[in-house]
Amino acid sequence: MEIERVNEFTIKFFITYRDIEDRGFDREEIWSDRERGEELFWEMMDEAHQQEQFPLEGPLWIQVQALDKGLEIIVTRAQMSKDGKKIELPIGDDKLDLPVDQNIEKLLDQQFQVEEDYDELEETEEDYLSFLFAFRDFEDVILLSHTIDSSSFENSLFHFEGKYYLYVTFDADAPDREQDDLLAQLLEYGNDSDLSVYRVQEYGKTIIADGALEHIQKHFKL
């Protein structure tokens, strides 16, 4: 998938149909199954947030164009006017003011309930850096638990489609060198995953919701 930061308010995606299928989606179901379409969209937006630091607040204006080889998606971050009666949508050097009527509110609600879900996402990710690691075997997770000091970061363990996934959250204020050392240790036993943690949480099984590595170290001896 290609991600292009157009400007402060707009980001563009291009994702091929093969990439969509590699992520576990069917090219037809993303149009017919709203939940699967939302899941793909959130996965893409999560990557944009991580890679491009695209702010996740306010309503989003979403344009989707189906091409021969894939989808082009343009997402523009709009803002509510101070009086709450208009949506300010930046276009070029000017802003397009749209009156907030029932049709627009319905449209924004249909675009994957962007406002509510991203408000929650901002609260959880604003002060943290998060990573998702995949492990083929549980034994690798056990080995990691006995190697790394997990007291300085939060971690949860999930099982999804035959693999184990460790979701790791660092405090954004933690020293970069410390984070780099911990990430290097994590990558010795697992692989950085392209999946969205929201997909793993919703469709996978939660093994240990909090302090996973500490619990595993305690109960599984080498």
Side-chain angles (χ1 to χ4, degrees), residues 15-30 33-44 160-161 195-196 199 203:
I15 184 169
T16 65
Y17 293 121
R18 175 173 291 182
D19 192 2
I20 290 174
E21 292 174 353
D22 289 343
R23 292 166 181 261
F25 299 88
D26 184 271
R27 59 184 294 179
E28 300 298 332
E29 72 176 347
I30 59 174
D33 188 330
R34 175 175 174 173
E35 289 187 2
R36 292 291 281 169
E38 290 179 10
E39 186 181 341
L40 175 62
F41 175 78
W42 286 115
E43 194 170 294
M44 296 168 66
F160 177 63
E161 295 186 344
L195 291 181
S196 166
R199 180 182 178 189
Y203 295 96

Side-chain angles (χ1 to χ4, degrees), residues 13 41-49 54 56 60 75 118:
F13 302 90
F41 175 78
W42 286 115
E43 194 170 294
M44 296 168 66
M45 288 302 297
D46 185 56
E47 290 184 30
H49 178 62
F54 190 69
L56 304 178
L60 301 179
V75 179
Y118 269 138

Side-chain angles (χ1 to χ4, degrees), residues 84 87 99-110 115:
I87 296 174
V100 179
D101 58 20
Q102 292 181 352
N103 291 329
I104 293 177
E105 289 179 341
K106 182 179 179 180
L107 173 63
L108 293 175
D109 178 63
Q110 288 177 343
E115 287 185 80

Side-chain angles (χ1 to χ4, degrees), residues 148-195:
I148 197 169
D149 180 5
S150 61
S151 61
S152 61
F153 59 90
E154 298 179 8
N155 56 97
S156 306
L157 185 67
F158 304 91
H159 187 263
F160 177 63
E161 295 186 344
K163 293 183 180 181
Y164 290 91
Y165 290 89
L166 187 71
Y167 183 55
V168 174
T169 304
F170 294 105
D171 191 317
D173 295 329
D176 291 342
R177 184 172 181 178
E178 177 182 335
Q179 289 184 20
D180 290 343
D181 290 343
L182 291 171
L183 287 172
Q185 290 179 277
L186 288 160
L187 288 170
E188 286 184 20
Y189 297 92
N191 298 308
D192 188 19
S193 175
D194 291 332
L195 291 181

